[in-house]
Amino acid sequence: MNNFESLSALREAADRGKNVLSNRAELRGLPDDAEALHILWLYPDVLNLHGGRGDMMALLHVADLMELPVEIMRIDELDEEIPYEWAHMICLNSGEIKCASEVAAAMSRQREELDGFIERGGVLWAAASSGAVLAREYTRLDGSKAEGLGLLDMSWQERESVWGDDIWFTADDGIQVMGCQIQVADVFLNEGQAPLGEIIYGRGNCGDGREGARSGNIIFTNCLGPMMVKNPRLAEKWLKTAAASAGIECRRQINDSDVEIEDKSFELIKKFINEKLNK
């Protein structure tokens, strides 16, 4: 990553409560009236596992490469009003599964505004255990059940043991994605619910060859890494999707030289996984 000042500003936003970060000053030649893509970063102090801040730094970096102006707004408190009407993308980084019901309740207090965000084509993604927020329900080990937002037709069952390994899958748009998976619950897709992709290596949802879930621009993945750091082309795809829904122009596409380090890393991990498969 080559924009140290912007990345440091995002770290400061995470550490010191600065609520909005923009990359507009770093984009030379940007028209004064160019509209920015608005990203809501929900509850980073609650959903604080597995490098979520790195995902936000990667989104900012990829947006810089795309010459796409962005504003990232951090929402800290569960009782804080969520500006759904402002947002084009909403990010739920990985958090503990026990927090899912509280996050779902906080988001659903403004359900009409949330539904409006979805109808406008906004991108909402959740990583790892935070995907339970988007599910119909999840069941804890003690048998207790909690409701999610029901945005994806899936149910979750907490596991007695934690699954951890690499994950490598082909997403529904053909992009190959690689990261790691630390899974505390099995994920079951109900009939008609499409996965996000197909597993090449790893466990995915429940060992059935399917990874994640997707309905329109509502996305869940088990992938960590941080995911956006390891997979800049996935970050570009989701930023493009959100920008297209908002009618915002992306002035540039990333090229191979932009992500040379990430591509080399992908090939090394791919080699390592293939060696495991061939043992």
Side-chain angles (χ1 to χ4, degrees):
M1 293 187 177
N2 58 9
N3 195 328
F4 179 77
E5 290 184 359
S6 292
L7 302 183
S8 295
L10 183 54
R11 183 179 61 197
E12 181 177 323
D15 292 339
R16 301 183 183 178
K18 181 181 177 184
N19 285 331
V20 179
L21 175 70
S22 172
N23 69 340
R24 188 179 292 272
E26 283 76 38
L27 300 181
R28 297 179 180 178
L30 188 72
D32 292 339
D33 60 351
E35 186 178 357
L37 185 75
H38 295 161
I39 300 175
L40 282 181
W41 181 16
L42 291 189
Y43 316 127
D45 291 332
V46 177
L47 308 179
N48 61 1
L49 303 178
H50 309 305
R53 291 176 180 176
D55 279 328
M56 306 310 296
M57 294 169 78
L59 281 176
L60 178 67
H61 173 62
V62 173
D64 285 351
L65 293 174
M66 296 166 65
E67 299 182 4
L68 172 66
V70 299
E71 294 179 2
I72 299 175
M73 180 184 294
R74 164 189 173 120
I75 303 296
D76 290 315
E77 304 296 335
L78 290 171
D79 60 356
E80 189 174 347
E81 184 174 351
I82 302 172
Y84 288 116
E85 70 286 349
W86 177 87
H88 305 125
M89 175 184 283
I90 297 174
C91 308
L92 296 173
N93 299 132
S94 176
E96 295 187 55
I97 195 169
K98 66 182 181 182
C99 301
S101 60
E102 294 181 68
V103 172
M107 294 180 68
S108 65
R109 280 197 296 268
Q110 298 167 245
R111 187 62 194 237
E112 185 175 343
E113 291 90 341
L114 173 58
D115 290 342
F117 165 84
I118 294 168
E119 289 170 8
R120 292 192 302 274
V123 173
L124 168 56
W125 61 264
S129 295
S130 294
V133 175
L134 307 182
R136 291 202 176 278
E137 67 174 17
Y138 68 91
T139 305
R140 301 295 301 273
L141 284 176
D142 63 6
S144 62
K145 296 181 182 292
E147 292 185 355
L149 293 170
L151 296 177
L152 294 172
D153 195 5
M154 60 183 181
S155 58
W156 288 46
Q157 172 66 59
E158 189 175 10
R159 294 171 50 84
E160 293 185 357
S161 60
V162 178
W163 174 274
D165 201 350
D166 297 303
I167 185 170
W168 175 15
F169 67 95
T170 302
D172 54 3
D173 52 15
I175 297 174
Q176 287 196 9
V177 180
M178 189 176 288
C180 61
Q181 179 175 0
I182 303 173
Q183 189 180 31
V184 299
D186 291 323
V187 181
F188 302 98
L189 305 185
N190 296 328
E191 186 176 357
Q193 173 60 62
L196 173 61
E198 296 183 1
I199 288 292
I200 300 172
Y201 175 88
R203 192 167 193 277
N205 291 339
C206 58
D208 65 355
R210 295 184 292 179
E211 158 54 21
R214 181 168 190 169
S215 179
N217 291 338
I218 312 301
I219 304 165
F220 155 67
T221 179
N222 293 288
C223 187
L224 302 167
M227 168 180 63
M228 297 295 183
V229 176
K230 297 178 74 68
N231 300 281
R233 289 183 176 83
L234 182 68
E236 179 189 34
K237 178 67 175 181
W238 291 1
L239 287 169
K240 279 184 176 180
T241 300
S245 293
I248 299 172
E249 178 185 3
C250 300
R251 300 196 301 168
R252 182 179 182 274
Q253 294 186 9
I254 63 175
N255 56 47
D256 291 346
S257 63
D258 292 326
V259 293
E260 182 179 1
I261 293 175
E262 291 86 348
D263 283 348
K264 287 182 178 178
S265 174
F266 187 99
E267 289 304 316
L268 284 172
I269 299 171
K270 179 180 175 180
K271 179 181 177 182
F272 172 72
I273 289 175
N274 281 326
E275 288 174 353
K276 289 196 291 185
L277 286 170
N278 293 328
K279 285 184 177 179

